[in-house]
């Protein structure tokens, strides 16, 4: 399904900024760490006379550099346990030579038995950290692939394959050193690290760290400029919180995505999110396809179907904030683990909260685990507070997860998943109509025509939403491009199908079935 809207109102730079907030979670850093790093790198770049093209490349290098973390998550989890804690702690160490070896040995096998830690440590020493190097290379290649899918040029894609190179040549790849490394990468490396030092210890701590790695990890010239201008470079860092306005004021960041562009970009993000767990590969795409088909059968308007599909692609983006040790845990989760896992719906909501056009998608995406009886998360909303799109997403995600394997169980058969989904309906947790639409979309039965609650067609759902919000026959006709007579005919059918006799009863029907979230209120 292509994008129904030519201009969904989202710039590429804004979408990448939102993605960087999810990346922050995977790094164990507060949200907007990456965006603050961009702010620092940009100010340093001004001292080197950066032109707009270089500023644009710098933005995407900084905001995408850590996206490849998802590719290395299974490897890091296998060697070091909690991948998020490992990345968080790694910022404190100059990762080369003996410091890197010591850091790795301190973290190897974290959370496991002393015997396993000893065995993993011995393997790490014997292989010279080859597994870590493979993980870093995979990270770089994956990040460059993401940039390609966003339609970014070689100046960004090539640079992203160098993010672990070092000035002294002791990084990955080891064939790169000094000025062979892209200038944008050299600016990123310093900015990314000193942002954390400044946030934790102030300007003096940031300057001291930069000097301690001068000529080893960092370009000496960039370090010297930073140390001379640190007070100016680090001034007003709180302003980065308003990153939407910052992007609006940058002329070279105004590339707006078409509907098809946005769909392709969201598919890329979905694919990368699922890389955090090997068994989840393709999950988000599958949920999106299933939810979209179910929404059509349910009778939602085309624009709402498109929005739901986009939300489904992003419904698991909050998993960037959940350690791989929890996602891949083979036994039952502890209470603490379960709470961390439940937080991913909240993270999804927060990551996608800006700009407004993306927030609409995020609001639906964060509903994937809400339940009609209020037992879901993260808000614990119930009943009519859950819109139809949220009900369909919840059912589609539940069904798709059931027929996929997980670390703690094999995949359920289609029959078992169908029975389990209907059991959730009987228990009052999932909407019966949403479940039946999802099962029909999954091929469990054939539907000759699109049919929403009470057999309403997609057009009748659109009309119902409008009259429930107070629209007259003339307003319905004008809003939907039909004659007043045709609008009246639709309204008569709606009243008959829903068993309603007044506007108030038909409005209650719309509320009870979560339909009033479909369209914006009509203008009077």
């Amino acid at each position: 399904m292509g994008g129904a809207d030519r201009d969904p109102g989202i710039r590429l730079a804004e979408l990448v900024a939102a993605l960087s907030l999810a990346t922050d979670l995977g790094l164990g850093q507060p949200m907007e760490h990456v965006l603050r790093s961009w702010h620092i790198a940009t100010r340093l770049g001004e001292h080197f006379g950066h032109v707009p093209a270089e500023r644009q490349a710098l933005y995407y290098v900084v905001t995408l550099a850590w996206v490849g973390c998802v590719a290395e998550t299974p490897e890091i989890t296998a060697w070091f346990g909690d991948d998020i804690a490992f990345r968080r702690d790694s910022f404190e160490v100059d990762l080369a030579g003996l410091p890197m070896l010591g850091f790795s040995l301190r973290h190897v096998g974290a959370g496991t038995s002393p015997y396993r830690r000893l065995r993993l440590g011995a393997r790490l020493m014997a292989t010279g950290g080859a597994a870590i190097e493979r993980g870093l290379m995979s990270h770089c290649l994956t990040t460059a692939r993401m940039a390609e899918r966003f339609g970014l040029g070689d100046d960004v894609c090539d640079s992203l394959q160098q993010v672990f190179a070092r000035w002294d040549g002791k990084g990955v790849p080891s064939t790169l050193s000094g000025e062979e490394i892209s200038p944008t990468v050299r600016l990123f490396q310093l900015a990314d690290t000193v942002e954390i030092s400044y946030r934790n210890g102030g300007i003096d701590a940031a300057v001291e760290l930069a000097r301690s790695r001068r000529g080893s990890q960092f370009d000496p010239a960039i370090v010297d400029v930073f140390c001379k201008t640190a007070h100016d470079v680090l001034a007003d860092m709180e302003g980065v919180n308003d990153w939407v306005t910052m992007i609006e004021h940058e002329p070279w960041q105004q590339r707006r995505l078409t509907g098809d562009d946005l769909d392709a970009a969201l598919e890329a993000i979905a694919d990368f999110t699922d890389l955090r767990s090997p068994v989840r590969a393709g999950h988000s795409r599958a949920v999106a396809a299933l939810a979209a088909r179910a929404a059509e059968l349910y009778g939602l308007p085309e624009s709402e179907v498109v929005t739901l599909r986009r939300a489904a692609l992003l419904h698991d983006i909050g998993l960037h904030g959940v350690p791989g040790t929890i996602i891949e845990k083979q036994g039952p989760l502890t209470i603490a683990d379960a709470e961390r896992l439940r937080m991913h719906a909240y993270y999804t909501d927060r990551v996608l909260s800006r700009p407004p056009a993306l927030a609409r998608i995020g609001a639906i995406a964060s509903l994937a685990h809400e339940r009609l009886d209020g037992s879901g998360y993260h808000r614990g909303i119930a009943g009519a507070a859950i819109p139809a799109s949220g009900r369909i997403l919840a059912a589609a995600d539940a069904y798709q997860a059931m027929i996929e394997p997980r670390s703690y169980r094999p995949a359920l058969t289609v029959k078992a998943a169908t029975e389990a989904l209907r059991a959730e309906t009987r228990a009052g947790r999932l909407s019966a109509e949403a479940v039946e639409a999802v099962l029909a979309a999954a091929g469990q039965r054939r539907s000759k025509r699109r049919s929403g609650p009470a057999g309403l067609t997609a057009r009748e759902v659109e009309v119902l939403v409008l009259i429930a919000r107070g629209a007259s026959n003339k307003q319905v006709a004008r809003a939907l491009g039909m004659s007043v007579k045709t609008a009246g005919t639709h309204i008569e059918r709606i009243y008959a199908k829903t068993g309603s006799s007044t506007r108030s009863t038909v409005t209650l029907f719309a509320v009870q079935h979560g339909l009033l979230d479909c369209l914006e209120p009509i203008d009077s």
Side-chain angles (χ1 to χ4, degrees):
M1 178 188 302
D5 41 0
R6 292 185 178 180
D7 181 4
I10 299 175
R11 300 175 180 88
L12 176 62
E14 293 170 329
L15 181 62
V16 171
L19 176 59
S20 78
L21 302 180
T23 302
D24 292 331
L25 296 172
L27 295 174
Q29 299 300 324
M31 283 189 182
E32 293 165 343
H33 154 68
V34 166
L35 290 169
R36 286 189 293 270
S37 300
W38 161 57
H39 197 46
I40 294 170
T42 299
R43 287 183 168 178
L44 280 172
E46 291 172 355
H47 289 278
F48 291 91
H50 269 194
V51 298
E54 292 172 317
R55 288 168 62 88
Q56 182 177 29
L58 180 62
Y59 174 78
Y60 288 112
V61 167
V62 174
T63 51
L64 292 174
W66 285 112
V67 166
C69 285
V70 294
E72 65 191 37
T73 293
E75 194 85 48
I76 290 179
T77 300
W79 282 96
F80 303 107
D82 187 330
D83 59 297
I84 295 177
F86 179 83
R87 293 191 195 95
R88 180 198 63 213
D89 295 346
S90 70
F91 283 98
E92 301 174 2
V93 181
D94 187 2
L95 294 177
L98 290 177
M100 181 175 183
L101 177 61
F103 173 80
S104 299
L105 290 176
R106 287 193 301 274
H107 284 76
V108 72
T112 63
S113 67
Y115 172 73
R116 177 169 171 76
R117 296 196 67 177
L118 183 62
R119 187 161 57 87
L120 284 175
R123 283 177 56 195
L124 189 68
M125 293 282 288
T127 60
I132 299 174
E133 184 172 339
R134 285 196 303 272
L136 296 181
M137 289 301 297
S138 176
H139 174 126
C140 293
L141 293 171
T142 302
T143 304
R145 178 59 181 147
M146 171 69 91
E148 289 176 1
R149 292 180 67 175
F150 284 162
L152 298 172
D154 291 343
D155 55 343
V156 175
C157 298
D158 292 346
S159 295
L160 287 171
Q161 297 186 56
Q162 303 176 4
V163 294
F164 294 112
R166 290 171 56 96
W167 182 264
D168 60 10
K170 297 180 180 179
V172 175
S174 58
T175 54
L176 283 179
S177 64
E179 294 186 357
E180 296 173 326
I181 304 169
S182 165
T184 56
V185 172
R186 285 179 264 155
L187 285 168
F188 153 72
Q189 291 172 336
L190 179 69
D192 183 54
T193 307
V194 301
E195 191 283 324
I196 297 173
S197 295
Y198 168 69
R199 177 164 29 91
N200 293 333
I203 290 178
D204 290 343
V207 170
E208 181 181 351
L209 182 140
R211 285 176 175 159
S212 70
R213 301 186 190 180
R214 182 184 185 277
S216 55
Q217 182 182 4
F218 302 142
D219 178 346
I222 294 178
V223 171
D224 292 344
V225 170
F226 172 73
C227 292
K228 291 177 182 177
T229 62
H231 284 81
D232 292 332
V233 168
L234 298 173
D236 190 31
M237 292 299 291
E238 294 75 14
V240 181
N241 295 332
D242 189 15
W243 53 266
V244 174
T245 300
M246 291 175 63
I247 289 173
E248 288 176 350
H249 291 164
E250 292 282 6
W252 46 266
Q253 285 183 321
Q254 302 311 304
R255 173 185 161 190
R256 300 179 76 88
L257 299 171
T258 66
D260 289 335
D261 289 340
L262 178 60
D263 288 335
L266 297 185
E267 287 170 0
I269 293 173
D271 294 343
F272 278 65
T273 296
D274 291 344
L275 286 178
R276 282 191 62 76
S277 168
V279 298
R280 298 179 70 89
H283 170 76
S284 296
R285 271 186 187 255
V287 173
L290 184 59
R293 290 197 299 270
E296 290 174 343
L297 294 171
Y298 195 93
L300 294 189
E302 182 185 1
S303 62
E304 191 71 4
V305 174
V306 170
T307 301
L308 173 55
R309 178 181 180 276
R310 291 169 178 168
L313 286 169
L314 298 180
H315 77 281
D316 270 345
I317 197 170
L319 283 178
H320 285 276
V322 181
T325 48
I326 293 177
I327 298 173
E328 294 297 308
K329 193 167 186 176
Q330 296 184 355
L333 297 178
T334 66
I335 294 176
D337 287 346
E339 283 302 309
R340 290 195 72 176
L341 183 61
R342 287 165 63 96
M343 283 294 291
H344 89 269
Y346 168 76
Y347 292 146
T348 294
D349 192 20
R350 296 307 305 146
V351 164
L352 303 174
S353 64
R354 291 177 287 174
L358 190 59
R360 165 71 175 142
I361 295 171
I364 297 173
S366 66
L367 297 173
H369 298 281
E370 299 291 357
R371 295 296 182 261
L372 288 179
D373 63 355
S375 64
Y377 57 90
H378 68 97
R379 294 186 182 90
I381 57 178
I386 304 175
S389 53
R391 301 179 188 196
I392 295 169
L393 176 57
D397 181 46
Y399 178 82
Q400 188 62 38
M402 289 176 188
I403 62 174
E404 295 171 351
R406 289 295 181 260
S407 57
Y408 53 90
R409 61 155 174 80
L412 272 63
T413 64
V414 168
K415 180 180 179 181
T418 300
E419 292 173 352
L421 208 62
R422 286 183 170 144
E424 288 293 287
T425 296
R426 292 192 294 274
R429 289 186 284 271
L430 292 176
S431 159
E433 288 149 338
V435 164
E436 291 309 312
V438 165
L439 293 176
Q444 297 308 297
R445 63 177 174 80
R446 294 185 179 274
S447 178
K448 295 182 179 179
R449 62 196 299 265
R450 298 179 182 182
S451 179
L456 296 174
T457 66
R459 178 59 91 182
E460 288 167 350
V461 169
E462 290 182 299
V463 174
L464 169 59
V465 171
L466 291 173
I467 62 175
R469 285 179 169 163
S472 65
N473 289 28
K474 288 183 178 179
Q475 289 174 316
V476 170
R478 185 172 66 249
L480 300 180
M482 61 179 65
S483 69
V484 175
K485 182 179 179 180
T486 300
T489 300
H490 281 306
I491 292 171
E492 290 177 3
R493 289 174 179 169
I494 290 168
Y495 273 67
K497 288 181 177 181
T498 61
S500 302
S501 56
T502 65
R503 185 186 295 269
S504 60
T505 54
V506 83
T507 298
L508 286 175
F509 178 91
V511 170
Q512 291 166 356
H513 290 84
L515 297 176
L516 289 192
D517 188 60
C518 293
L519 299 172
E520 295 299 321
I522 187 171
D523 295 331
S524 58

